[in-house]
């Protein structure tokens, strides 16, 4: 059972999606849920079907006190590395909130202090707290929507299905067609790759 609040009213949950992908952005969501918010379906986005995630997104957006989503794209990921890009995406999502949170709940164990607001990192927090689970839903659905959009430009990689993750099908397409502008050049795109073509 997910907890509604950790310590404070008006606390924000934040989480990211797409960290392990070979292509596309890393995307973060941040959300402040009202005290007493409940939803029987809400859970870590990885535990839910695409249909349930899509069902939850408009509910969360309607019920939230404030929410924000931010993409950090592949060029910036290549420039500052994926860990820094993930944290940057969460900071920018927090920047986009219309209300200032009293406290920040972060999924995982790595974060950089956000200006003037205390935070706590919670391992597997998206399965423990509603605000982090809700942020994970926003991050995942917005990122999936973006990957489906760029799929239309490069359908041979089947991003609509694999979302840029390193599936066998995706790697075979890279081997056959090479890299696009959406691929992360700093990532090891193929298992046998020893050097980066930058």
């Amino acid at each position: 059972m997910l907890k509604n609040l950790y310590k404070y009213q008006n606390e924000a949950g934040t989480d990211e999606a797409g960290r392990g992908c070979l292509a596309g952005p890393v995307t973060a969501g941040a959300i402040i849920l009202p005290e007493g918010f409940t939803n029987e379906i809400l859970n870590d986005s990885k535990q839910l079907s695409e249909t349930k995630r899509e069902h939850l997104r408009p509910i969360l957006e309607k019920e939230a006190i404030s929410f924000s989503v931010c993409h950090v794209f592949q060029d910036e990921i290549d420039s500052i590395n994926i860990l820094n890009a993930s944290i940057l995406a969460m900071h920018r999502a927090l920047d986009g909130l219309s209300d200032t949170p009293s406290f920040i709940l972060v999924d995982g164990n790595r974060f950089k202090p956000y200006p003037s607001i205390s935070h706590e990192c919670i391992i597997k927090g998206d399965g423990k707290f509603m605000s982090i689970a809700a942020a994970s839903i926003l991050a995942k659905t917005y990122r999936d929507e973006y990957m489906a959009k760029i799929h239309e430009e490069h359908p041979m990689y089947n991003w609509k299905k694999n979302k840029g993750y390193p599936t066998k099908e995706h790697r075979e397409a890279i081997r056959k067609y090479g890299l696009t502008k959406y691929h992360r050049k700093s990532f090891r795109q193929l298992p046998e790759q020893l050097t980066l073509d930058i």
Side-chain angles (χ1 to χ4, degrees), residues 25-93:
V26 61
T27 304
I31 189 167
I32 302 172
L33 292 171
E35 185 179 6
F37 175 85
T38 59
N39 186 286
E40 292 182 359
I41 301 172
L42 182 59
N43 200 349
D44 167 13
S45 64
K46 296 183 290 296
Q47 303 298 321
L48 298 175
S49 66
E50 185 172 357
T51 301
K52 286 184 177 178
R53 291 194 297 266
E54 293 295 339
H55 170 76
L56 279 167
R57 177 170 142 184
I59 294 171
L60 296 172
E61 292 178 348
K62 181 183 177 186
E63 296 291 329
I65 293 169
S66 179
F67 74 91
S68 174
V69 178
C70 175
H71 299 301
V72 170
F73 292 97
Q74 56 281 346
D75 291 347
E76 200 162 9
I77 292 170
D78 289 337
S79 174
I80 63 175
N81 81 44
I82 187 59
L83 174 61
N84 286 325
S86 298
I87 294 170
L88 180 61
M90 289 190 275
H91 274 227
R92 287 179 179 169

Side-chain angles (χ1 to χ4, degrees), residues 22-25 73-76 78 146 150 153-154 157 159 178-185:
L22 302 179
F73 292 97
Q74 56 281 346
D75 291 347
E76 200 162 9
D78 289 337
Y146 176 83
I150 63 171
E153 285 181 56
H154 302 281
Y157 299 92
W159 291 330
L179 300 180
T180 68
K181 65 181 180 180
Y182 298 110
H183 282 97
R184 302 174 184 177
K185 307 302 191 294

Side-chain angles (χ1 to χ4, degrees), residues 18-197:
R19 189 165 163 178
C21 294
L22 302 179
V26 61
T27 304
I31 189 167
I32 302 172
L33 292 171
E35 185 179 6
F37 175 85
T38 59
N39 186 286
E40 292 182 359
I41 301 172
L42 182 59
N43 200 349
D44 167 13
S45 64
K46 296 183 290 296
Q47 303 298 321
L48 298 175
S49 66
E50 185 172 357
T51 301
K52 286 184 177 178
R53 291 194 297 266
E54 293 295 339
H55 170 76
L56 279 167
R57 177 170 142 184
I59 294 171
L60 296 172
E61 292 178 348
K62 181 183 177 186
E63 296 291 329
I65 293 169
S66 179
F67 74 91
S68 174
V69 178
C70 175
H71 299 301
V72 170
F73 292 97
Q74 56 281 346
D75 291 347
E76 200 162 9
I77 292 170
D78 289 337
S79 174
I80 63 175
N81 81 44
I82 187 59
L83 174 61
N84 286 325
S86 298
I87 294 170
L88 180 61
M90 289 190 275
H91 274 227
R92 287 179 179 169
L94 290 162
D95 289 345
L97 293 172
S98 58
D99 283 55
T100 302
S102 57
F103 192 75
I104 300 165
L105 290 174
V106 183
D107 184 57
N109 62 354
R110 302 290 291 277
F111 195 65
K112 294 177 182 176
Y114 186 80
S116 71
I117 303 172
S118 297
H119 74 273
E120 183 142 348
C121 292
I122 298 172
I123 295 169
K124 297 185 179 176
D126 47 7
K128 296 173 182 174
F129 291 95
M130 287 193 176
S131 62
I132 302 179
S136 79
I137 298 287
L138 294 179
K140 176 69 174 158
T141 55
Y142 275 84
R143 189 182 185 281
D144 285 358
E145 188 174 80
Y146 176 83
M147 295 307 293
K149 181 181 172 184
I150 63 171
H151 167 87
E152 302 302 322
E153 285 181 56
H154 302 281
M156 66 282 283
Y157 299 92
N158 203 11
W159 291 330
K160 191 173 184 179
K161 183 180 179 185
N162 64 50
K163 311 298 193 274
Y165 281 92
T167 61
K168 183 179 179 182
E169 174 191 46
H170 189 185
R171 285 196 151 132
E172 285 301 320
I174 292 170
R175 191 175 276 111
K176 186 173 181 179
Y177 300 106
L179 300 180
T180 68
K181 65 181 180 180
Y182 298 110
H183 282 97
R184 302 174 184 177
K185 307 302 191 294
S186 59
F187 276 48
R188 189 176 178 182
Q189 298 286 340
L190 296 172
E192 67 273 19
Q193 182 179 330
L194 296 176
T195 59
L196 298 171
D197 298 321

